[in-house]
Amino acid sequence: MIAVVGHTAIDHLFRVPKLPGRHNSTYITEHSVYFGGGAANIAAGIAMLGERSRLVSVVGDDFPGSDYDLWLQRLGVVQDITLIKGTRTATAYVFTDDEGDQETFFEWGASTAFSSLEAPALDFVHMATADPDFNVRVAQRSRFASFDPGQDLLRYTPEQLEIILANINILFSNNHEMDRMCGMLGLEREDLIASVPMTVITSGVEGSTLCMNGEEYHVPAVLVEALDPTGAGDGYRAGFLTAFRMGCTPLECCRVGAVVASFVVERPGTQTNLPDRDRMLARYRKVFGEPGEIPV
């Protein structure tokens, strides 16, 4: 089973012609509400691919019995969820313009309670966006851990990042997050990469880079007609971690991640087009050829 720690959230996705910038305004052309939260997205993606997943998260009064709750139950996600009474579930407000640029405003809501929760000792865990101190404690207590800082990177201190990097096996990051972490820690990129056994750097349509044992391997993105980039990184991590748990090579894991991400961006919403294993394998074969190492 793959445990995923972090936010369960409600996503409000907005379309605007162009992000307005400081002291300016714009108009909204679309507004939709979807299931979200980085950890929940990844747990749902893993479950869709046929691997067991456990979601360690917190929610508010609006979650129990909701459509979101029932959706995760139907997927078979094990919900290790703490209800914080008198709060509402975390909410993300994501604005995307016609050029694909995004800005996100995140209301923590019930997720503020992470800081006071006892961290579980887990066998195989991915730490998504969550309270930094909670993730530090999870990293220290887990046998095998992966981590992506996401939009919560600004909440970490250099000391917290150092502890997490010293206790993880896989680091997921995009280029912006890599640059910010290097600045926070006073490290060159190659030194940061060398401090972790395996690093995966995602770069949108330019693909991803696997870094391990002093070598770098580029994996192209799976290009599709993308309607909404929200959740692509979560889909990538769901695919990668599922393949990794199945015993695939790291390079195959990156390819599976790229395939799953390609489904996510084809529709608005982070969980609306998650593929099952058959759909994933069909597209994988079309793009990368026969996988070989992936158990069917």
Side-chain angles (χ1 to χ4, degrees):
M1 180 183 292
I2 302 172
V4 189
V5 172
H7 297 299
T8 298
I10 306 301
D11 285 350
H12 288 255
L13 305 186
F14 302 89
R15 276 281 183 179
V16 297
K18 187 171 180 60
L19 296 175
R22 193 176 180 189
H23 301 311
N24 287 297
S25 64
T26 188
Y27 57 91
I28 294 169
T29 57
E30 295 180 30
H31 176 198
S32 303
V33 183
Y34 297 99
F35 306 149
N41 293 338
I42 297 168
I46 291 169
M48 278 294 295
L49 291 169
E51 180 64 47
R52 295 182 68 207
S53 64
R54 171 184 175 186
L55 175 60
V56 181
S57 191
V58 293
V59 297
D61 294 325
D62 53 343
F63 185 81
S66 67
D67 289 343
Y68 200 172
D69 182 10
L70 298 176
W71 161 248
L72 294 177
Q73 290 182 41
R74 287 197 298 271
L75 289 179
V77 174
V78 177
Q79 296 187 43
D80 186 355
I81 289 178
T82 302
L83 171 64
I84 309 300
K85 293 184 178 181
T87 69
R88 62 180 180 183
T89 302
T91 306
Y93 303 91
V94 184
F95 296 81
T96 306
D97 69 14
D98 292 340
E99 296 178 359
D101 292 325
Q102 284 187 331
E103 286 188 356
T104 300
F105 300 83
F106 194 78
E107 178 187 0
W108 274 60
S111 287
T112 57
F114 267 120
S115 60
S116 60
L117 295 182
E118 181 179 354
L122 300 166
D123 178 62
F124 187 109
V125 61
H126 176 72
M127 294 173 291
T129 50
D131 178 78
D133 182 64
F134 185 75
N135 273 350
V136 165
R137 290 182 278 123
V138 169
Q140 291 173 321
R141 300 193 65 191
S142 298
R143 186 188 67 82
F144 186 99
S146 61
F147 169 67
D148 73 87
Q151 72 266 21
D152 286 342
L153 180 57
L154 56 86
R155 299 174 68 96
Y156 284 81
T157 65
E159 293 74 22
Q160 289 170 326
L161 271 182
E162 288 173 349
I163 295 172
I164 287 179
L165 293 174
N167 285 277
I168 61 172
N169 304 85
I170 306 173
L171 171 65
F172 293 94
S173 173
N174 62 31
N175 279 309
H176 302 296
E177 293 157 358
M178 284 296 296
D179 290 341
R180 180 172 289 182
M181 283 189 288
C182 287
M184 292 173 63
L185 298 172
L187 295 174
E188 296 296 328
R189 180 176 287 209
E190 55 267 28
D191 296 323
L192 175 56
I193 290 171
S195 70
V196 180
M198 188 186 307
T199 300
V200 179
I201 304 170
T202 55
S203 305
V205 296
E206 296 178 3
S208 57
T209 303
L210 170 67
C211 307
M212 57 184 298
N213 301 323
E215 301 290 338
E216 293 188 359
Y217 308 87
H218 179 259
V219 176
V222 178
L223 300 180
V224 295
E225 185 177 349
L227 293 183
D228 189 340
T230 311
D234 295 334
Y236 186 104
R237 289 181 275 278
F240 183 104
L241 292 169
T242 301
F244 192 89
R245 191 63 167 167
M246 291 163 54
C248 299
T249 66
L251 197 56
E252 291 285 356
C253 294
C254 290
R255 292 170 180 157
V256 173
V259 171
V260 175
S262 73
F263 282 95
V264 174
V265 302
E266 286 181 312
R267 293 185 190 174
T270 56
Q271 298 180 33
T272 52
N273 197 39
L274 293 169
D276 60 20
R277 189 173 299 185
D278 289 340
R279 291 177 71 208
M280 182 276 291
L281 284 171
R283 183 169 292 183
Y284 185 106
R285 292 187 177 103
K286 184 176 180 180
V287 176
F288 295 112
E290 194 64 33
E293 292 91 344
I294 301 177
V296 177

